[in-house]
Structure formats: C-alpha cells, structure tokens
Amino acid sequence: MNEGMRLLQIAPVEDLSLRAIARNTGVSATALYRHFPDKQALLQALAQEGLDKLGAEQRAAIDAAGGGVESFAAAGRTYVRFALANPALFRLVMSCGFEGVQSADESNAMALLRNCVADVYAGSSEGDLRVAVLRAWGMVHGLAMLMLDGHLPPDSAMIESVIHPTYVKGAG
Amino acid sequence: MNEGMRLLQIAPVEDLSLRAIARNTGVSATALYRHFPDKQALLQALAQEGLDKLGAEQRAAIDAAGGGVESFAAAGRTYVRFALANPALFRLVMSCGFEGVQSADESNAMALLRNCVADVYAGSSEGDLRVAVLRAWGMVHGLAMLMLDGHLPPDSAMIESVIHPTYVKGAG
DNA sequence: TCGAATATGTTTACAGCGATAACATGATCA
DNA sequence: TGATCATGTTATCGCTGTAAACATATTCGA
C-alpha cells in the first residue's frame, strides 16, 4: 500500500495528493480511508519508513568508517546526502516530527548520533555532550535544508569540506 | 495590501489561502489578482518583507554586541530567535529561496553573516572563510528548523549554550 | 456448514482551494 | 469631454480532502 513512496521520489510533498496516490494505485480515492484515518496518517506512515531508511543508511556508513571521528563525519555526510537524494521524503520525515516514534530521542537515527558524539567526546560532561549533539545535528540539518531550499548548491565537495573529521576533532 | 502578514503570525504557511487573505481584508477573492499575478507572487512579496525584517534585526544585534565573536554569536542567536518568533514567516522566507532578491549572496542577511565571519576569522584564506560561513549558517539554520519542527524544545538557554562566543572562537 | 462480522472496495456529494473570464465603475489624464 | 487604466465584482472550472451510504468478499465462531 505504501507505493505512494514512489510518487514522493518524483514530486514535492505538497503535490502528493491522496487522489493522485489512489489514481496511480488504480483504486478509488476514498479507498485509502480503509487503511488510514486521514491523509496526515498516510504521510506519517511514509515518514516513518523514511526515518527508518535514513537510520539504516547512517548505520551502514558509521560501521564502514571504522569508528571515532571518521564515523561521526560519515554519519553527518550520510544525513546530508540522504536529504539530497530524497528531498521530498526528507522534508516529510522532518515535518512529521517523528510523531509515530515513541520519543524523538529514541529514534534510531538519534541514538546513532548520540553514540557517535559520545565516542568522539569521551570523557566530557553530560552537558557538553548534549551541546555537541545539538551543534552537530544542527549543522548537518541546516546544511541539508539550505541545499534543499536552493540557498546553497548541492555540491558534494562542499559537503565534505564542511563536515570534515579535522573539524569535528578540533571543535570541543 | 500586505496585511496578509498578520495572518502569517497566527497560522502556518500552508493555511494561508488567497481566499482567507481576501476575506480578512474584506474584499473578494479575485481582487488580489489585480495586485499579484498569482499566489506565489504574493507569498514572495511577504517573504521579501520577512527577509528584510530579519536583516534589520541582525544588523541591530550585531551593532549592539560591539563586534568580533560577540557580534557573530549575536547574529546567530538573533537568527534562531527570529525563526521562533515568526515561524510561518521564517518558513516562507526560506522556502521562497530569496527569488525576488538579486542574488542569494547579495541579500542583506547574507552580507552581514559574511562580514561577521570575515571579522572573526581575519587572516584566514578565502576558502576557509567560505567554509566557516557555511558551518555557521548551517548550524543556526539547522537549530532553528529543528526547533520549529518540534524536534528540539524552543529553549532559550539551549540556544545560548549552542551559539556561544567561546565556541565560535575555538572552532577554526 | 451456515450466518454474522469484518475488511475492502465502490459511487455520490460537499465545501474549500487557486485560477480564468466577462463585466462594472471610478479616477486620471490627453 | 472622452478614452484609458486601476480596481473591484460575480460566475465558473477543475482540483483537493473528507463523509455517507452502499456492495462484496473473506474470515471466523456456533
């Protein structure tokens, strides 16, 4: 039923109409109400799927990088690249506010980020860790959004220069 | 005519309908087409106004802080606070992509940011300056968006701890 | 095995949206 | 004075999300 995922890859979120999904699924518009109470619920299901996908990609990147600052940077680059590769889905994930998830802090992606930070800043206070998480998340999220909104070019070299192990290491 | 600005302060962007603006202005829906070619143009005009307002607030904050890292941090905090104080307007500004403006890099807000960075990182190479701009803009933009989307609490103390002069100074 | 409950689909209808077209009216200016 | 232009109107179109009433096929307890 979540084949509306396909439509998200070819059109922005705001163009994703219930009726278009139904049409492309070869079913009547109101049939979707047998599976979701309303449009918001359908979008939330798609968002959950997207969040899982993001988490999986980050997990893979972190593991491949071998730990420490390299993994930390890899997680960040993966975050931005995911956004660029799936603009509508990424927007949807972020605008749905992880509402389906138990708690924002327990989502897979969040846990990964926290682990990376804890790994890199081992020995720091709990407060310092939290601030480091916010700075890292903020930076990659901001970079992603600015690129999606066309304020920055979706330049791969730019991503790498901004999210760089040497920077991660230097900034306390 | 831009009294649709008021509506942006009490409702999210996606709820800002042409007809609602017309209704609240006491005019027929189609009358707006005498002033703007379409809805997008009207939103763009509102966005331009918002961008100017953001630039003005940053200018004031930068001047009041007295220069250097203090001004840099003040500009960042102002950016985030503006977003929290005008959620719908901020979203609109960012989603409209400064399209009315000559060039993204010539908008007032952008020039201010660049100046701050150049002031703080005096002596650095052009490339380093650019990366520093991206990191700073990304971090504050990400922080703002994450708070607007409900992933982080709109906590004033959190803003100050993340955007802090000592951090700005330390990070090269 | 039969009958009811459930899941899943349908058609019809409604109000709200952005947008276009045709028309009215007042101010402005040659 | 008379044409032009700025600004408003109403009527209409196709799109949207959603609700209601109805049909049918599957499932499951007696």
Side-chain angles (χ1 to χ4, degrees):
Chain A
M1 293 298 171
N2 282 3
E3 302 300 325
M5 202 73 167
R6 193 183 60 83
L7 287 179
L8 269 187
Q9 296 171 343
I10 62 174
V13 198
E14 59 267 19
D15 290 2
L16 183 68
S17 80
L18 222 51
R19 293 168 112 106
I21 296 178
R23 233 177 285 128
N24 280 72
T25 316
V27 96
S28 82
T30 53
L32 298 181
Y33 284 85
R34 299 300 167 186
H35 305 269
F36 305 94
D38 58 8
K39 186 185 184 184
Q40 170 63 21
L42 188 155
L43 292 181
Q44 207 154 291
L46 288 178
Q48 179 62 57
E49 216 169 293
L51 187 56
D52 292 345
K53 199 172 156 211
L54 170 60
E57 292 192 13
Q58 284 192 302
R59 167 89 277 154
I62 288 172
D63 289 348
V69 291
E70 299 291 343
S71 280
F72 191 23
R77 287 193 303 263
T78 300
Y79 188 95
V80 179
R81 292 212 195 94
F82 179 89
L84 295 180
N86 316 275
L89 181 58
F90 181 80
R91 282 195 143 92
L92 181 62
V93 166
M94 292 310 158
S95 74
C96 273
F98 309 171
E99 283 161 28
V101 185
Q102 317 83 313
S103 142
D105 304 70
E106 292 180 15
S107 85
N108 192 14
M110 278 318 99
L112 291 177
L113 172 59
R114 207 171 301 271
N115 288 346
C116 280
V117 171
D119 189 14
V120 171
Y121 300 98
S124 298
S125 75
E126 180 59 35
D128 286 352
L129 282 187
R130 197 156 45 212
V131 169
V133 165
L134 295 177
R135 283 178 184 147
W137 192 11
M139 205 180 72
V140 295
H141 187 74
L143 198 61
M145 293 302 286
L146 290 171
M147 286 181 170
L148 286 187
D149 281 342
H151 301 124
L152 294 176
D155 186 334
S156 185
M158 179 183 278
I159 297 173
E160 308 220 351
S161 66
V162 171
I163 307 173
H164 201 271
T166 61
Y167 168 74
V168 171
K169 198 167 185 175
Chain B
M1 293 296 173
N2 283 3
E3 303 301 325
M5 202 74 167
R6 193 184 59 83
L7 287 179
L8 269 187
Q9 296 171 343
I10 61 174
V13 197
E14 59 267 21
D15 289 1
L16 183 69
S17 80
L18 223 50
R19 293 167 115 104
I21 295 179
R23 231 178 285 126
N24 280 73
T25 315
V27 98
S28 83
T30 54
L32 298 181
Y33 285 86
R34 299 299 168 186
H35 305 270
F36 305 94
D38 58 8
K39 186 185 183 183
Q40 170 63 21
L42 187 155
L43 292 182
Q44 208 155 288
L46 289 178
Q48 178 61 58
E49 216 168 296
L51 186 56
D52 292 345
K53 199 173 156 209
L54 170 60
E57 292 192 12
Q58 283 191 303
R59 168 87 278 153
I62 288 170
D63 290 348
V69 290
E70 299 291 343
S71 280
F72 191 23
R77 287 192 303 262
T78 301
Y79 189 95
V80 179
R81 291 214 195 94
F82 180 89
L84 295 180
N86 316 275
L89 181 58
F90 181 79
R91 282 195 143 91
L92 180 62
V93 166
M94 292 310 157
S95 75
C96 272
F98 310 172
E99 281 161 30
V101 185
Q102 318 82 316
S103 143
D105 302 71
E106 292 180 13
S107 84
N108 193 14
M110 278 319 100
L112 291 177
L113 171 59
R114 208 171 301 269
N115 287 346
C116 279
V117 171
D119 189 13
V120 171
Y121 299 98
S124 299
S125 75
E126 180 60 34
D128 286 350
L129 283 186
R130 199 158 43 215
V131 169
V133 165
L134 294 177
R135 283 179 184 147
W137 192 11
M139 205 180 73
V140 295
H141 188 74
L143 197 62
M145 293 302 287
L146 290 171
M147 286 180 170
L148 286 188
D149 282 341
H151 302 124
L152 294 177
D155 186 334
S156 185
M158 179 182 279
I159 298 173
E160 309 220 351
S161 67
V162 171
I163 308 172
H164 201 269
T166 62
Y167 168 75
V168 171
K169 197 167 186 175

